[in-house]
Amino acid sequence: MNKKNLLIYPFSREVSPLVRHSHLISDYHISDIVSPKGWGFNNKNAGFIDKVEDNSLTITDNFENSLTMIDTVLFCNYPKDFKLDDVIYEKIKFAIDQKKNIINLLPMENTINENFKHLANKNKLSYVTYETNKAKIDKDLNIQEESLEEIQTPVIFVLGLGELTNKFDIQLALREGILKMDYKVSQVGTKNYCELMGFHSFPNFMFNKNLLEKEKILLFNRFISRIETEENPDVIVIGIPGGIMPINTTFTNNFGILAFEVSQAIKPDAAILSVFYEDFKEEYFNNLNLSATYKLGFSIDCFHLANVKFDWSSSKLEQKMKYITINPYMIEEKKKKISNVEFPLFQVFNKNDRGKIVDCVINKLAYYGEMQVI
Amino acid sequence: MNSKPFIHLFNTPENNYVYDVNTNAILSVSDSIYLHLSNYLKNENNMESLSDKDKNQLQEFKKQGFLSSNKASKIIHPATNYLEPFLNQQVRMVILQLTQECNLHCSYCVFSGAYDNRKHSRKSMSFDIAKKAIDFLIDHSSELNEITVGFYGGEPLLKFDLFKQCVSYALNQVEGKKVNFSFTTNATLLNKDIIDFLVKYDIGIMISLDGPKEIHNKNRKYAKDEYGSFDKVIENVEMINRLYPDYLKKKVRFNIVLDPEKNFSCVSDFFTSYETIKDAGISVSDLAENYVKKEFKNNNDFYINRDYEIFKYYLATINKLDRKHTSRLVVEYYNDMMKNMNSFRKPFILKNKIQTAHHSGPCIPGRDRLFVDADGNFRPCERVSENSEVMKIGNIEDGFDIEQIKKILNVGLITEEDCKDCWSFRFCTLCAAFADDLNDLSSEIKKSHCKSVHYSVETQLKQYCVLEELKNNKQGKDYE
């Protein structure tokens, strides 16, 4: 089937994993990646943002010139604290004027989306918003009973100590590796564009302020149970957004509430925890495992070392969480220095490690599979 | 092996304290423990004279992780390993030297000839260099959602056309990212057009104003005729107030250089009572001490008055005095003290010993601020001498000189053994500018400042503890 040419705007680290794993997208070929002016990405390769090798595409900041050879524009989330609303509205209008189909993943008021949809349809163009409320609170997700439904299919969790811990890259590496082994995988991912790659984005109801925490837990349990029933997978991979615990008393990181709720809804059979780059001591990983075991109810099977470091000094000074992205080679150097850690340590931007992460969790599941408990 | 606890002893009129360096904690101790520790540090061990209660207390301190003798074995700044990503991705601010010319020749100016620095000249930055500097900032700030372009001189408003070009260029290069602008001005050249522009682009200004007319005019005079600039400055401030009173309130701050030869109270009263500026933000600075050729004369009365105002402000913070009787000029001092002693000084128990450390003081050169002179040379900030070889950290064509930046960042290495033993290293304020002999970093020059750092930190510790004692006045003592 001919894939349509896709332009991504604004290109940032929110969407860079999609480019690295673009072969997972069935309907589109990513032909252009455009960042807003002045973000420092112009003429850099696609891997520049994450300091990784990815020369597949070059980033440009000229949106208008990039539209010529493409069919569809994907407007996607960008890092918070940037203010791009007005720029985005203009670009959507311009793209429609240039007869391009639109996929808009940005949260927008219904009226604005409706207006754009109307304008697009008038020009015989499609205007799609991938609503992550596929998991709507409807009669299929029945939470009148307070008991949890059992999930029979093996489940793998991908968690992190915080945002920006490469969780989505790990999820995609798992997906690729498991599919290669000819297993059928159902997946819930930590981005809102997962549907492009044929799996589910993390459901919106988990962020709904009008629901009780108990209701969210039950809904998530039903959500996974429904996926299991409808898709009949061999394995389920669930990425959990955010962090599993506070950084400290100043940076509370949403207290790891989401991870706790998911851990109450589903118990994983294997878990990967991604940590910020740090001056690690060996007992760090033991302590994190203990914390996960007692707080979340499951142990960690392997750790991922992200190429993002929490910038303690700037965070303290500015009273906001600040990070610095480092070159992945520093992680390889660090791994050599902490060789006595009893947990496997991986880094997804190391090509050799990608396969090893998959092997680690699949071997764990296979080990459980050898024990038949009825 | 040195097993003496790494501590600093100090006392207030009411109490004795131990500052524990490893845990950053302040411990309140009895007279006898204080004396014991004091003697112990002087190699006079007299454990036998301690009571059982005191012995138990000391044991308990040690059990809790206090009184450790651990010191860093190596001086390395923790940012050293991350310099490349910091400088490639997180440059926050570029300061453009639009011109070296100024229409005032202030006597304390670092370019007046009284400092080991360049002198006033007509050299100006070209728009080409300014553009490259702004592009450099944009290219090296990919992980930031906010950047700042600052303008410096001389007097930046002498090149207002260039100023406008730079603002316009910077705003046109950026989408979705906040671009802030800032500059300090002597305010003599402000006019309606300039003010309209500043308001339109929401550009904050820092106006140099040293106090009432007699005090301001003593130092801040026109180059051409040595006439004082006060009248013009005030006229322009009043114009801003007339045209844009909100802008004056929110975006205009005043920088006060305190001259110790002048009357502190007069300056203080001016900024409290002059109607148009009494509510404006102020920053207070002392005369620049680095690179000065001749030491300043000390005026005891000035410091006595200032310390008295600090004392009054402290009383106000514990509700013993109405704030209307206090000086605005000491608020920053109080806030800095509280930041150091309260917000930043969070005691912690070490599970692992410190192995590498660096004293506080240095910024990350180039990342926190990047000063670009008229020729496109890079320096860590506008406060280092432009005659200094050691402070050159690159240029607009070649980019950063990472090795030089590493050297400036790790200035503690030149006084490594002293710094390892220094109890105030967490509060040190010395950066490479305090060690600069223009050709290299000098340990002798750096060490000459240590005594005043120790004095300042100990003073802050004492003042903080006294305030805590007064707040917690459980014994109901009469401090009046």
Side-chain angles (χ1 to χ4, degrees):
Chain A
M1 174 184 140
N2 276 340
K3 291 188 181 184
K4 294 187 194 133
N5 284 336
L6 186 74
L7 180 154
I8 296 178
Y9 182 88
F11 183 72
S12 70
R13 73 185 324 149
E14 285 294 312
V15 75
S16 52
L18 186 65
V19 174
R20 280 192 284 282
H21 301 270
S22 58
H23 49 276
L24 291 172
I25 307 171
S26 44
D27 298 334
Y28 296 96
H29 161 70
I30 302 175
S31 58
D32 290 89
I33 45 178
V34 182
S35 286
K37 275 197 323 189
W39 284 29
F41 300 150
N42 190 38
N43 286 330
K44 307 283 197 306
N45 67 48
F48 172 79
I49 293 176
D50 300 291
K51 305 290 159 275
V52 299
E53 260 188 56
D54 182 3
N55 298 321
S56 56
L57 286 169
T58 303
I59 309 168
T60 172
D61 66 5
N62 193 327
F63 181 82
E64 288 73 19
N65 283 1
S66 304
L67 285 179
T68 37
M69 302 296 287
I70 61 107
D71 305 293
T72 305
V73 182
L74 169 66
F75 289 93
C76 53
N77 274 344
Y78 49 88
K80 55 187 181 196
D81 297 338
F82 286 81
K83 291 201 179 351
L84 265 184
D85 288 359
D86 291 343
V87 174
I88 297 268
Y89 296 152
E90 262 180 49
K91 302 264 191 276
I92 293 177
K93 268 193 223 133
F94 185 82
I96 293 174
D97 283 344
Q98 298 298 309
K99 311 283 185 245
K100 307 299 170 190
N101 298 309
I102 307 289
I103 303 172
N104 184 7
L105 301 181
L106 289 160
M108 275 187 197
E109 284 176 23
N110 279 342
T111 41
I112 299 178
N113 261 332
E114 284 305 315
N115 286 342
F116 282 136
K117 191 171 186 178
H118 176 72
L119 186 63
N121 289 347
K122 218 167 94 173
N123 286 277
K124 297 186 173 37
L125 301 164
S126 72
Y127 183 91
V128 175
T129 59
Y130 273 106
E131 288 172 330
T132 52
N133 59 357
K134 263 188 185 177
K136 272 188 183 145
I137 308 166
D138 61 18
K139 55 180 191 242
D140 290 343
L141 293 180
N142 182 350
I143 58 168
Q144 282 175 6
E145 294 264 343
E146 283 195 4
S147 57
L148 291 169
E149 289 176 10
E150 217 176 301
I151 308 297
Q152 303 290 341
T153 309
V155 173
I156 302 170
F157 274 5
V158 177
L159 314 106
L161 278 192
E163 294 177 16
L164 301 182
T165 46
N166 307 140
K167 288 193 295 294
F168 197 60
D169 274 285
I170 300 169
Q171 291 159 54
L172 295 180
L174 284 176
R175 183 173 185 80
E176 283 170 355
I178 294 172
L179 286 173
K180 232 191 227 171
M181 293 177 176
D182 285 329
Y183 288 118
K184 191 167 179 210
V185 57
S186 287
Q187 195 156 356
V188 179
T190 49
K191 296 290 182 193
N192 73 343
Y193 50 76
C194 299
E195 279 73 13
L196 280 174
M197 290 177 283
F199 60 100
H200 307 270
S201 301
F202 203 81
N204 262 349
F205 61 69
M206 292 299 284
F207 307 103
N208 188 331
K209 291 179 184 155
N210 296 322
L211 291 175
L212 298 174
E213 304 316 310
K214 170 177 96 170
E215 287 171 333
K216 289 180 193 174
I217 292 169
L218 290 170
L219 277 170
F220 196 81
N221 173 260
R222 305 296 188 260
F223 172 62
I224 299 297
S225 177
R226 185 173 72 181
I227 288 174
E228 184 183 37
T229 307
E230 288 179 357
E231 298 176 16
N232 195 23
D234 299 310
V235 66
I236 299 174
V237 177
I238 301 176
I240 301 171
I244 66 168
M245 61 174 66
I247 305 282
N248 55 27
T249 53
T250 307
F251 305 111
T252 50
N253 213 13
N254 285 326
F255 300 98
I257 289 176
L258 193 60
F260 178 77
E261 287 172 349
V262 171
S263 72
Q264 296 305 291
I266 310 285
K267 277 293 173 271
D269 300 282
I272 302 168
L273 178 64
S274 186
V275 302
F276 292 113
Y277 178 87
E278 243 330 318
D279 188 16
F280 303 113
K281 303 281 181 243
E282 276 134 7
E283 58 266 33
Y284 179 65
F285 300 97
N286 291 338
N287 291 340
L288 281 174
N289 181 47
L290 275 177
S291 177
T293 303
Y294 289 113
K295 193 188 327 206
L296 303 178
F298 55 85
S299 57
I300 304 299
D301 295 285
C302 60
F303 288 87
H304 175 270
L305 309 183
N307 72 328
V308 174
K309 183 183 177 342
F310 190 79
D311 184 351
W312 296 100
S313 165
S314 298
S315 298
K316 191 172 174 181
L317 207 61
E318 297 179 44
Q319 293 293 292
K320 266 170 105 165
M321 295 202 283
K322 295 281 173 188
Y323 310 89
I324 180 83
T325 307
I326 60 170
N327 194 303
Y329 86 80
M330 287 178 74
I331 300 174
E332 296 307 310
E333 294 300 307
K334 185 62 71 176
K335 271 158 77 179
K336 290 175 197 162
K337 289 186 183 159
I338 48 170
S339 47
N340 287 334
V341 174
E342 61 182 73
F343 297 92
L345 302 178
F346 302 115
Q347 196 241 122
V348 75
F349 298 126
N350 176 332
K351 286 184 194 137
N352 297 330
D353 276 5
R354 254 176 253 154
K356 289 181 190 169
I357 298 177
V358 180
D359 289 342
C360 175
V361 290
I362 294 296
N363 287 343
K364 173 88 181 285
L365 301 185
Y367 169 74
Y368 283 153
E370 283 166 17
M371 295 186 290
Q372 293 217 20
V373 179
I374 299 165
Chain B
M1 187 165 104
N2 182 11
S3 60
K4 287 188 194 157
F6 194 13
I7 57 176
H8 178 70
L9 301 171
F10 65 96
N11 43 28
T12 64
E14 288 298 321
N15 222 332
N16 307 302
Y17 296 97
V18 174
Y19 170 65
D20 188 273
V21 183
N22 277 290
T23 59
N24 214 7
I26 301 173
L27 311 172
S28 173
V29 297
S30 64
D31 291 346
S32 45
I33 288 183
Y34 186 87
L35 183 62
H36 165 77
L37 287 172
S38 174
N39 289 336
Y40 185 44
L41 291 178
K42 290 184 231 165
N43 294 320
E44 297 165 19
N45 190 351
N46 56 348
M47 259 324 247
E48 302 79 30
S49 60
L50 277 178
S51 68
D52 284 342
K53 184 180 172 195
D54 284 344
K55 283 182 192 166
N56 288 340
Q57 172 78 94
L58 282 174
Q59 280 309 315
E60 190 57 34
F61 276 146
K62 286 181 189 164
K63 204 168 127 192
Q64 296 293 332
F66 301 113
L67 306 182
S68 164
S69 59
N70 178 64
K71 293 179 183 176
S73 56
K74 214 168 167 202
I75 297 289
I76 302 176
H77 196 287
T80 306
N81 288 341
Y82 311 105
L83 266 182
E84 219 182 285
F86 276 139
L87 295 173
N88 284 340
Q89 296 142 223
Q90 296 196 1
V91 174
R92 294 168 178 179
M93 175 178 192
V94 75
I95 303 163
L96 307 178
Q97 184 185 64
L98 295 186
T99 180
Q100 294 184 359
E101 187 180 0
C102 189
N103 60 327
L104 298 190
H105 280 184
C106 302
S107 51
Y108 54 56
C109 179
V110 295
F111 310 122
S112 62
Y115 290 80
D116 281 323
N117 207 330
R118 66 158 173 88
K119 298 217 183 99
H120 297 296
S121 86
R122 289 240 149 125
K123 188 185 276 194
S124 293
M125 184 178 266
S126 67
F127 181 55
D128 182 57
I129 288 188
K131 252 174 52 175
K132 284 181 180 172
I134 294 169
D135 289 341
F136 188 91
L137 171 66
I138 288 169
D139 280 344
H140 291 78
S141 58
S142 58
E143 288 200 327
L144 303 178
N145 65 307
E146 194 169 338
I147 52 177
T148 302
V149 178
F151 300 103
Y152 196 68
E155 170 51 49
L157 290 179
L158 281 169
K159 295 289 164 190
F160 186 58
D161 284 341
L162 177 59
F163 185 112
K164 282 193 293 187
Q165 271 185 301
C166 292
V167 169
S168 178
Y169 181 76
L171 289 173
N172 276 334
Q173 299 314 300
V174 176
E175 286 172 327
K177 212 185 247 209
K178 190 159 194 303
V179 184
N180 302 309
F181 299 95
S182 70
F183 74 110
T184 302
T185 176
N186 61 39
T188 58
L189 298 174
L190 287 171
N191 58 41
K192 185 176 179 303
D193 286 343
I194 293 177
I195 296 168
D196 286 343
F197 182 86
L198 297 176
V199 170
K200 180 180 175 188
Y201 290 99
D202 203 33
I203 299 174
I205 53 174
M206 179 81 87
I207 293 178
S208 300
L209 179 62
D210 287 353
K213 183 170 179 168
E214 187 252 340
I215 289 177
H216 177 96
N217 282 349
K218 186 220 161 199
N219 291 315
R220 300 190 64 83
K221 299 176 183 171
Y222 284 100
K224 57 180 186 198
D225 54 19
E226 298 214 336
Y227 196 72
S229 58
F230 179 85
D231 289 339
K232 193 64 185 172
V233 174
I234 290 296
E235 179 190 316
N236 287 337
V237 170
E238 294 292 354
M239 176 173 39
I240 300 175
N241 189 38
R242 243 184 358 262
L243 295 172
Y244 301 106
D246 270 350
Y247 174 79
L248 181 69
K249 272 192 200 119
K250 293 177 188 164
K251 299 298 281 188
V252 178
R253 287 180 67 85
F254 293 90
N255 185 56
I256 308 158
V257 173
L258 289 177
D259 181 351
E261 289 187 18
K262 283 295 163 183
N263 189 308
F264 183 90
S265 304
C266 285
V267 178
S268 180
D269 290 343
F270 176 77
F271 284 97
T272 311
S273 58
Y274 191 92
E275 187 59 35
T276 312
I277 56 177
K278 68 183 172 64
D279 297 318
I282 57 171
S283 293
V284 179
S285 21
D286 294 324
L287 296 178
E289 55 180 297
N290 292 332
Y291 309 105
V292 68
K293 288 178 178 168
K294 213 167 98 173
E295 275 190 27
F296 307 121
K297 283 188 250 173
N298 264 333
N299 175 4
N300 278 338
D301 282 345
F302 175 88
Y303 294 109
I304 289 170
N305 283 335
R306 184 170 75 172
D307 288 352
Y308 178 61
E309 290 299 334
I310 292 171
F311 168 69
K312 278 166 57 190
Y313 193 80
Y314 282 176
L315 289 180
T317 63
I318 52 167
N319 299 321
K320 297 286 184 189
L321 185 69
D322 194 322
R323 268 181 213 243
K324 69 181 184 208
H325 300 303
T326 62
S327 167
R328 296 179 65 209
L329 266 53
V330 301
V331 175
E332 219 172 17
Y333 176 88
Y334 170 80
N335 290 340
D336 286 346
M337 185 277 290
M338 287 303 280
K339 223 184 343 185
N340 276 340
M341 292 295 132
N342 192 5
S343 318
F344 287 169
R345 188 192 60 81
K346 297 277 184 221
F348 50 88
I349 299 298
L350 282 178
K351 294 209 169 107
N352 300 297
K353 294 183 178 177
I354 300 171
Q355 286 169 352
T356 61
H358 193 285
H359 64 75
S360 162
C363 66
I364 299 178
R367 188 221 35 189
D368 297 337
R369 290 167 102 81
L370 176 60
F371 177 72
V372 183
D373 73 16
D375 295 322
N377 294 311
F378 289 171
R379 289 189 181 78
C381 68
E382 66 276 23
R383 291 178 206 172
V384 303
S385 172
E386 292 178 44
N387 288 351
S388 170
E389 285 304 311
V390 72
M391 288 300 173
K392 283 187 183 157
I393 57 169
N395 60 67
I396 205 75
E397 301 301 335
D398 304 324
F400 284 122
D401 180 347
I402 300 250
E403 288 310 308
Q404 194 63 13
I405 291 173
K406 226 179 257 188
K407 179 175 174 172
I408 294 172
L409 178 68
N410 285 279
V411 64
L413 280 173
I414 65 170
T415 47
E416 184 162 14
E417 293 312 308
D418 293 281
C419 291
K420 281 182 199 173
D421 282 339
C422 179
W423 65 266
S424 62
F425 86 90
R426 290 186 197 280
F427 305 100
C428 187
T429 50
L430 302 182
C431 66
F434 289 86
D436 185 6
D437 73 4
L438 303 185
N439 295 308
D440 208 343
L441 297 176
S442 156
S443 58
E444 197 187 316
I445 296 180
K446 185 169 183 258
K447 282 196 236 190
S448 71
H449 296 286
C450 290
K451 201 167 155 190
S452 88
V453 171
H454 290 153
Y455 174 77
S456 167
V457 178
E458 183 170 285
T459 303
Q460 289 186 1
L461 282 167
K462 288 182 178 180
Q463 288 174 348
Y464 178 71
C465 289
V466 166
L467 282 174
E468 288 297 302
E469 287 166 11
L470 292 171
K471 276 184 211 162
N472 302 329
N473 184 9
K474 290 176 183 150
Q475 295 163 322
K477 286 191 180 176
D478 184 2
Y479 286 98
E480 296 300 333

